[in-house]
Every structure is written in C-alpha cells, then in structure tokens.
Amino acid sequence: MMRKKRSSPVLKKAVRRAAGMNSIHPNLDVGNGLTLPTFSTLIETMQAKENAYNTALSNLDKLYREMLETERELGDMTEHMLMGVGVLYGKSSVEYGMAGGIPKNQRRKGLRGESPTSSSQQPLFVANVESNGNGNNRVATS
C-alpha cells in the first residue's frame, strides 16, 4: 500500500504568484511587512516541509513493506517450529502441547454432518403449545 504523496495547490499558486511579482520588482514591498523576500522565504519553508513529509511517507511505506515481509517469515517459522517439536516429540506429546499444538489424543473428532455439540442436547427453546402462532396467547375455540 503506497500512501499518496502530498502536492499542495496553495504552494503551486504561491510559486506562480511569486514569479509574477518578481517580474515587477525582486524586493517588492506592498506594506504591512508583506515583502517578496518574506513571501519567498515562506514558500521555501513550505517546499521543504512538503518534501520532508513526502520523504517520510516513502520511508514509512518501505518500513511497512519490510514489516509485512518479516511478519510472513515469522508466521512461517512459527509453523515450522511447531512441526519440528511434533517431529522430535510426537504430535501426542506433552511437549507438543507446551509448544502450542493440540496433541492428537486431545483433538475432538466429529462424525460427518454432525455438529460439534452433542446431539443428545435438548433444543434451546420450547414452543408455547397454547399459542396460535401469531403472538396472541388466546387459542381460538369453536
């Protein structure tokens, strides 16, 4: 997943305006502390911050990809370590259970088509025999 880099429309507009103002006068001063050199300095500051932000995003994307790769490797090694314990000690051993596996002799085996719960359990609800099925408790009599 690559994050979208930032491109400031305000910065682009300011650069165009500064170029036009520079053609009027390189040290343009419109009063109240608004000068072209100050404007240009702020533009450069914004450009530096935008570049730093975009570089940080690229570094973050790289770190994220590296983390996902390491996570995949870790998942594979986790599985291989458990399989190794199963080979060394057997899949029915206490050691296999200690390593996070489910020993063969503790696995539940269900018959095909049967739910994991026992079929001898009673249903979770009992229908009201006095109901006529539409939510009314009165039973119509003839």
Side-chain angles (χ1 to χ4, degrees):
M1 172 178 102
M2 299 287 289
R3 287 170 179 75
K4 188 176 180 189
K5 304 300 186 272
R6 180 90 158 72
S7 178
S8 171
V10 173
L11 177 59
K12 288 179 182 180
K13 184 178 186 179
V15 168
R16 282 193 310 269
R17 291 238 171 115
M21 291 176 192
N22 191 50
S23 65
I24 297 171
H25 192 279
N27 290 321
L28 182 66
D29 186 341
V30 296
N32 292 327
L34 300 173
T35 66
L36 186 55
T38 304
F39 188 43
S40 297
T41 300
L42 188 55
I43 288 171
E44 290 169 9
T45 300
M46 178 59 190
Q47 287 171 328
K49 289 186 184 282
E50 185 178 73
N51 288 338
Y53 176 81
N54 288 334
T55 300
L57 278 184
S58 294
N59 290 334
L60 190 59
D61 287 339
K62 179 182 178 216
L63 182 60
Y64 181 70
R65 285 189 306 273
E66 290 171 354
M67 183 190 71
L68 290 178
E69 175 63 24
T70 303
E71 184 179 44
R72 186 190 60 74
E73 290 175 20
L74 180 60
D76 289 347
M77 189 169 186
T78 299
E79 185 178 337
H80 291 138
M81 291 294 292
L82 180 61
M83 287 192 296
V85 169
V87 168
L88 283 176
Y89 296 98
K91 287 190 174 182
S92 293
S93 68
V94 171
E95 291 82 1
Y96 187 72
M98 291 169 63
I102 299 173
K104 271 184 161 180
N105 56 3
Q106 292 180 8
R107 292 185 192 154
R108 294 180 66 177
K109 293 184 180 179
L111 299 175
R112 286 189 192 163
E114 189 176 300
S115 69
T117 59
S118 162
S119 60
S120 64
Q121 287 183 342
Q122 292 195 358
L124 297 175
F125 68 93
V126 177
N128 183 353
V129 293
E130 292 184 18
S131 173
N132 63 3
N134 65 6
N136 296 331
N137 285 336
R138 288 191 201 172
V139 177
T141 56
S142 341

